[in-house]
Amino acid sequence: MHVPDGFIDAPISAATGVLAAAAVAVSLRGARRELDERTAPLAGLVAAFIFAVQMLNFPVAAGTSGHLLGGALAAILVGPYTGVLCVSVVLLMQGILFADGGLTALGVNITDMAVVTTVVAYAVFRGLVKMLPRRRGSITAASFVAAVLSVPAAAVAFTLIYAVGGTTDVSIGKVATAMIGVHVLIGIGEAAITALTVGAVVAVRPDLVYGARGLRQKLKLRVDGQLVDVPAEPAPAAARSHRKVWITGLVTSLVLAGFVSFYASADPDGLEKVAADKGIDARTEKHATADSPLADYGVKDVEDARLSGGLAGVIGVGVTVVAGSTVFWVVRRRRTADTSPVGTGV
């Protein structure tokens, strides 16, 4: 659903840019509360994982493919504010380095793919978790439903943006029907990836999943006729360490982007297919970084397609994890500074 330059006119592109900037600013502030000793080390990794999995287009219908959007996955793993930032970092890296998603359309893409998917997914997820039994299976089930709904929600958001700022004269009804229809199917793939990933992390380290916090009921003792919480035992060193999870996640991301991506579907994704079929792409503009050494997820002057795509994927994962980790490190330091006691002096 990466919108290229030329689909949306300049005034609406500018307006969504302002909206996206405001959402990112709010998320930077909100992420200070989410980026604690558990989520901070993993947030950059989540961004890199989303980048890697977005390279794995899967077939959804004849001549059409889909890929992960990632808003639901990020929100559940590291929190909704941090999730918006994770997907925004991915979109920025894709637009600048890989000519994927227009630069003038960056506001449209952040609004649609980062903000809408994350907000919708996390709202649905929290609502379901409150109603379902407090166990790990409920987290996985809620993740699946939240992810399913987040993708057609993004399709609806794009349709609304196109309705007010589209550069071609195409029936909005036809656009809506085609976009929502194909993205319901893509949502099923998104849900499967999200539920499998969240379920895997919850199974081994539920303490690292933001959406699983409070899963266990606190033990209580009756003291002098009143119930009081039992002090929690400190987690063992093995449970507190993030190193194994971080290394496993990074290696997985590198393998997915550097090797598995070669076998991804070559069919156009949902938006590309709808745009071609309905004529939305009639005024598509050449990407500003179309001549980038990594444009179209290949390394320039590397003749072997498998090697070219693999190297581009590995570079993308590396750049995204560094950029994401840097952003979240800075935000984490701001949180530390804001909560540090003020010295009184002598």
Side-chain angles (χ1 to χ4, degrees), residues 27-307:
S27 296
L28 285 169
R29 189 171 185 83
R32 295 184 198 175
R33 300 189 297 271
E34 296 173 348
L35 290 169
D36 56 19
E37 68 281 356
R38 289 172 289 179
T39 54
L42 299 179
L45 177 62
V46 170
F49 182 77
I50 290 172
F51 174 92
V53 180
Q54 283 196 1
M55 294 183 67
L56 308 180
N57 281 49
F58 48 85
V60 294
T64 309
S65 70
H67 63 70
L68 182 82
L69 298 186
L73 178 63
I76 295 165
L77 288 179
V78 293
Y81 294 107
T82 308
V84 169
L85 298 179
C86 283
V87 181
S88 297
V89 167
V90 172
L91 293 171
L92 185 61
M93 295 299 102
Q94 290 170 332
I96 293 175
L97 299 179
F98 298 92
D100 189 10
L103 295 185
T104 61
L106 185 60
V108 175
N109 286 320
I110 289 177
T111 300
D112 196 25
M113 295 177 64
V115 179
V116 171
T117 59
T118 301
V119 170
V120 171
Y122 198 71
V124 172
F125 174 81
R126 291 308 306 171
L128 289 174
V129 166
K130 290 180 180 179
M131 294 187 295
L132 294 172
R134 297 170 66 87
R135 55 173 179 254
R136 294 178 182 178
S138 298
I139 300 297
T140 304
S143 300
F144 186 94
V145 176
V148 163
L149 296 178
S150 70
V151 178
V156 171
F158 169 79
T159 302
L160 294 175
I161 293 172
Y162 183 81
V164 295
T167 56
T168 54
D169 186 15
V170 179
S171 167
I172 299 304
K174 292 181 179 180
V175 174
T177 300
M179 283 292 292
I180 296 171
V182 72
H183 284 91
V184 166
L185 299 177
I186 294 173
I188 296 173
E190 174 107 8
I193 296 170
T194 301
L196 286 172
T197 304
V198 171
V201 180
V202 166
V204 295
R205 290 292 303 273
D207 59 303
L208 297 183
V209 178
Y210 184 89
R213 294 183 181 183
L215 187 61
R216 293 183 177 180
Q217 294 278 12
K218 291 184 178 181
L219 295 178
K220 294 182 178 290
L221 289 177
R222 187 172 296 278
V223 178
D224 296 331
Q226 295 184 340
L227 291 176
V228 297
D229 291 336
V230 176
E233 296 182 2
R240 293 197 302 269
S241 174
H242 306 116
R243 182 174 300 176
K244 288 184 178 180
V245 174
W246 202 91
I247 292 174
T248 300
L250 181 60
V251 170
T252 300
S253 300
L254 291 171
V255 170
L256 291 175
F259 177 72
V260 180
S261 62
F262 182 78
Y263 301 97
S265 173
D267 290 332
D269 66 23
L271 176 58
E272 291 173 326
K273 179 66 172 175
V274 172
D277 289 348
K278 304 301 179 183
I280 297 175
D281 59 355
R283 296 187 181 179
T284 303
E285 300 173 3
K286 182 180 178 180
H287 199 285
T289 61
D291 297 325
S292 163
L294 298 172
D296 297 324
Y297 298 94
V299 178
K300 190 175 182 180
D301 297 329
V302 176
E303 300 296 334
D304 184 273
R306 186 192 298 268
L307 179 60

